[in-house]
Amino acid sequence: MNRKSLKSLLLLPAAMLVFAACSTTSRLPEGEVLYTGVKKIDISGPQGEKVPESVRSQLNGAVSVPPNNAILKSPKYRWPFPLGLWVWNHWSDSCTGVKRWFYDRLVSEPVLISTVRPDARTHMLDEILDNNGYFRGSARYETIPGRNPKTAKISYTIETGPAYTVDSVELLPDTCRLNHFIDSLARRDAYLKPGARYCTDSLSAVRIRVTNALRDRGYYFFRPDYIEYLADSLQKPMSISLRMSLASNVPRQMLRRYRTGKVTVRAYRNQGGGTPDTIVTDHATLIQMMPSRLRKGVIHDCVTFRQGRYFSVRNMNSTQTRFARLGIFNNIDMAVVPDTAAAEPTLDVNISCTFDTPLEATVELNASSKSNSYIGPGVLLGVQNRNLFEGGEQLGVTLTGSYEWQTGRNSSSVFNSYEVGLAANLSFPRMLAPNFIKRRNRNLNWTHFQLSADLLNRPHYFKMAQFNASMSYEWQSSRHSSHSLTPLKLTYTNLMHTTHAFDSVVAANPAIALSFRSQYIPQFSYTYSYDRRFDADNTLNWTFTVQEAGNLFWCVYELAGTHGEKRLFGTPFSQFVKGSTQVVFGRRLWGDNWIVTRGLVGAAHAYANSAEVPYAEQFYSGGANSVRAFPVRSIGPGSYRPPRWVRDSYFDQTGTFKFELNVEYRFPIIGPLHGAVFVDAGNVWLLKKDPLRPGGELRGSTFLRDLALGTGAGLRFDIGMLVLRADLGVGIHAPYDTGKSSYYNMTSFKNSLCFHLAIGYPF
């Protein structure tokens, strides 16, 4: 290649960029300039002082206007070829037919410097600085032309100056009970302390917190704007003296403290009409349109108001929640009316609720996605009675059927299966037990009884029947904490039929054979969940579960003098203990961009009457909700890898200890389409040494090397009620021997790929 040809080749990209720029500004009105993003946002504080992140976020948000063709709505980065702008410049909006259809979906009107209005945004920056105590701050902007004179970027320079701090706070004069309450609440607030940086948002938050507390103490009509602040910056340099006061134009009745008056509940029939029947209870007067099916004790338990006590908004919310959680009303209205004839200020509460239809039949066609990477169609036929015994009891009977296949690399029709199940669930909106769990005013407690039978058929392996009977309790101890206790769950599994392929697998591994045998599993389990959104940027979900099986039965048999293997109705029962915990933490970066991390640890141990934990209770790794670079049950335990000549190695790759760690960055793309980039690590191990699975035992010296590691990217179609997910995982490190000695030990990039289709987010 000669020098002239090389020079032309090097100039070609630059010429393409200039052409693309010109082709997207040809129709701009005279004097207008295309906005191509933010060049930089320089925020600096006084020397040696760091600008708080909350202030930086507000300043960045005020000027972060995305240009045309922005990457992930970023104000700084654009795709190189702005297709929407090109269409706007070169296609007429009067086109018709197919061209018009494409025009409407591709066109993007130009974002102009005049519409961004950087001068107005600098005024917004000045206001933000003032609101955060930086009264000596300043902001300015500069327009930076591009190679094309009709395009320009904007640079913002913000100097905050020193921050003003709160020097003193003068509260209300303690002349009445209302002032006394406000003062005591304000003194306990963390912000109203000398030395805090002056911030109008923080002052507004104090008003809201004080108001919420007052409305729970009888001051129902009190509002945040009734509290005013007077700020004085002249008494002391760089300091603010605050004085709190009540607005002078507030009507007197808005500042009164109210007690709860009469509570009236009106229950209307779903069909309308009926004859009113009045029943007076300790908590409310029930006016029920007859004929109707409702015990008066149900209303008594749902109403948390107490006549004569000071009115509380918290009682309004808890009463509304209790009525809604009963599930027998389709409409619930609550109105609060002052009683002007009462000797002292009172509020009467009127609750109107309309019964829903008690019987409901359901037919559902669905698609399921399981954590083991199985997806497939299903059908559900159900009948539900929402008010079986006139107390909000719910009886549901469902018949389900599904056909499933496995996604991911190495999947085949060998794993296709079908399942048929029949289940009945009877739920009571109260605790049917001794009062060992205190009732809470916030939510109803529930008692559940379940019976179910399932038939699972894997044509190339086995046919298994499973029967379950259980009793469980659910309750909430606080707004964020919920509990589930199952004092007894009895499961019976019967391996009805096996194939030669399955028999060869279990014959080669006695541990697998023991975990698959027909057996009873009498269980006790407890689950604690903590779910909290701390603010708009941080979420936390923690779940802890502990299970034990067979201990009570074993003790009874021992006391009866039965030693050796113990049987229930001629079939041995399982005995093991199992625990797991999972923490999911979400952190919003900006906009709808999130970093979500998940950690999971679990362990199970069989003893006494069992040599192995039942197969259904063992852990596995890999799949759509686990380490997504590997198919389900394709890694572990530990560094063990089944011999290549063993076709049916699926059953060997489970364990009794599990550890997984996931990090996922989630971002919007367009409309309901979202994207994700993730890194997953994890594996399962054996707590007991198995000679037939060498390398599977948990050991500290090889723990890190035994962790499978993968990365990847995915798409999510999120329409609120349904999330369709596609993830492509890329393996980085396999815990088993692949023939390569380096940490990246995948045999090839092609063989390291694993694709998953799923429903819902992975965690």
Side-chain angles (χ1 to χ4, degrees), residues 700-763:
S701 59
T702 61
F703 179 80
L704 293 178
R705 192 173 64 216
D706 287 348
L707 288 175
L709 180 65
T711 185
L715 295 175
R716 290 93 168 88
F717 189 74
D718 187 350
I719 57 175
M721 297 180 62
L722 178 68
V723 178
L724 301 177
R725 174 165 56 96
D727 286 331
L728 180 63
V730 183
I732 297 176
H733 173 74
Y736 45 78
D737 183 13
T738 64
K740 291 191 174 183
S741 58
S742 60
Y743 184 79
Y744 177 79
N745 61 354
M746 311 306 294
T747 55
S748 68
F749 179 77
K750 178 182 177 181
N751 291 335
S752 69
L753 300 178
C754 189
F755 180 73
H756 299 282
L757 287 173
I759 297 174
Y761 287 100
F763 42 82

Side-chain angles (χ1 to χ4, degrees), residues 211-225:
T211 298
N212 291 339
L214 288 174
R215 298 187 75 214
D216 282 331
R217 287 169 168 81
Y219 297 94
Y220 175 72
F221 294 105
F222 198 89
R223 297 293 180 265
D225 52 1

Side-chain angles (χ1 to χ4, degrees), residues 190-488:
Y191 175 73
L192 290 181
K193 298 289 187 296
R197 176 174 55 83
Y198 177 83
C199 177
T200 57
D201 288 344
S202 297
L203 291 175
S204 297
V206 171
R207 297 198 307 179
I208 293 173
R209 288 192 290 267
V210 170
T211 298
N212 291 339
L214 288 174
R215 298 187 75 214
D216 282 331
R217 287 169 168 81
Y219 297 94
Y220 175 72
F221 294 105
F222 198 89
R223 297 293 180 265
D225 52 1
Y226 296 170
I227 298 177
E228 296 180 345
Y229 298 101
L230 177 64
D232 186 355
S233 60
L234 301 178
Q235 294 187 17
K236 190 175 181 180
M238 302 301 299
S239 297
I240 299 291
S241 296
L242 287 176
R243 177 186 296 172
M244 180 184 288
S245 63
L246 288 178
S248 59
N249 58 347
V250 180
R252 182 176 179 84
Q253 60 269 26
M254 299 298 179
L255 302 180
R256 287 178 176 174
R257 191 181 191 190
Y258 291 86
R259 294 184 182 271
T260 303
K262 300 175 183 178
V263 180
T264 305
V265 179
R266 292 176 172 83
Y268 298 100
R269 289 157 43 90
N270 179 265
Q271 305 89 343
T275 303
D277 179 55
T278 302
I279 301 173
V280 179
T281 70
D282 294 340
H283 296 174
T285 298
L286 171 63
I287 302 176
Q288 184 177 358
M289 305 304 291
M290 303 298 290
S292 180
R293 292 171 52 85
L294 182 65
R295 296 201 310 268
K296 65 177 183 179
V298 176
I299 300 300
H300 182 278
D301 291 340
C302 288
V303 175
T304 60
F305 291 104
R306 298 297 181 267
Q307 188 171 357
R309 296 185 183 179
Y310 286 112
F311 191 90
S312 172
V313 173
R314 185 183 294 114
N315 286 334
M316 287 185 65
N317 297 333
S318 61
T319 299
Q320 183 89 18
T321 300
R322 288 191 171 201
F323 272 94
R325 290 199 67 194
L326 278 175
I328 62 177
F329 302 110
N330 63 13
N331 184 49
I332 304 167
D333 292 322
M334 186 178 300
V336 176
V337 181
D339 186 356
T340 57
E344 61 177 317
T346 59
L347 294 176
D348 292 341
V349 182
N350 296 319
I351 304 171
S352 299
C353 47
T354 304
F355 280 99
D356 203 346
T357 53
L359 291 176
E360 180 182 55
T362 304
V363 178
E364 293 183 8
L365 297 176
N366 55 58
S368 63
S369 173
K370 297 183 178 179
S371 58
N372 57 6
S373 295
Y374 274 88
I375 65 172
V379 61
L380 181 147
L381 305 175
V383 177
Q384 185 179 29
N385 188 316
R386 297 191 182 93
N387 195 20
L388 183 63
F389 304 126
E390 304 181 8
E393 300 83 6
Q394 299 183 11
L395 173 64
V397 179
T398 57
L399 174 65
T400 58
S402 64
Y403 181 81
E404 301 170 339
W405 62 89
Q406 187 190 20
T407 66
R409 178 165 43 90
N410 299 332
S411 60
S412 69
S413 61
V414 169
F415 295 103
N416 294 354
S417 66
Y418 68 82
E419 184 174 1
V420 179
L422 178 65
N425 186 359
L426 178 60
S427 301
F428 295 82
R430 51 192 174 275
M431 303 293 289
L432 300 181
N435 192 24
F436 64 95
I437 299 173
K438 294 182 179 180
R439 293 187 177 185
R440 301 289 173 177
N441 290 333
R442 192 177 303 278
N443 294 101
L444 289 174
N445 304 317
W446 285 92
T447 303
H448 302 281
F449 295 91
Q450 295 96 9
L451 286 173
S452 66
D454 290 276
L455 177 65
L456 175 63
N457 184 52
R458 295 190 183 276
H460 297 270
Y461 290 101
F462 60 81
K463 180 183 290 185
M464 177 183 289
Q466 181 170 288
F467 303 90
N468 290 283
S470 67
M471 175 184 180
S472 60
Y473 301 103
E474 291 183 5
W475 73 97
Q476 283 191 258
S477 57
S478 69
R479 179 178 303 174
H480 309 291
S481 297
S482 59
H483 310 258
S484 177
L485 174 67
T486 303
L488 178 61

Side-chain angles (χ1 to χ4, degrees), residues 464-470 486-494 514-525 547-551 553 566 568-569 571-578 609-610 612-618:
M464 177 183 289
Q466 181 170 288
F467 303 90
N468 290 283
S470 67
T486 303
L488 178 61
K489 178 182 179 182
L490 183 61
T491 301
Y492 172 66
T493 58
N494 183 13
L514 287 172
S515 65
F516 263 98
R517 68 177 181 173
S518 298
Q519 58 189 314
Y520 284 97
I521 308 176
Q523 289 189 61
F524 166 91
S525 66
Q547 301 170 244
E548 69 84 18
N551 288 334
F553 281 64
K566 300 166 179 59
L568 180 64
F569 305 121
T571 301
F573 61 83
S574 183
Q575 192 171 359
F576 66 90
V577 62
K578 178 182 178 181
N609 209 48
S610 297
E612 293 293 334
V613 177
Y615 188 80
E617 298 293 342
Q618 294 187 22

Side-chain angles (χ1 to χ4, degrees), residues 598 621-632 634-635 659-662 678 680-683 708-711 733 754 756:
R598 165 185 175 260
S621 193
N625 296 345
S626 179
V627 185
R628 284 163 280 184
F630 298 87
V632 65
S634 65
I635 50 177
F659 175 82
E660 286 184 353
L661 185 64
N662 312 79
F678 54 83
D680 304 324
N683 204 342
L709 180 65
T711 185
H733 173 74
C754 189
H756 299 282

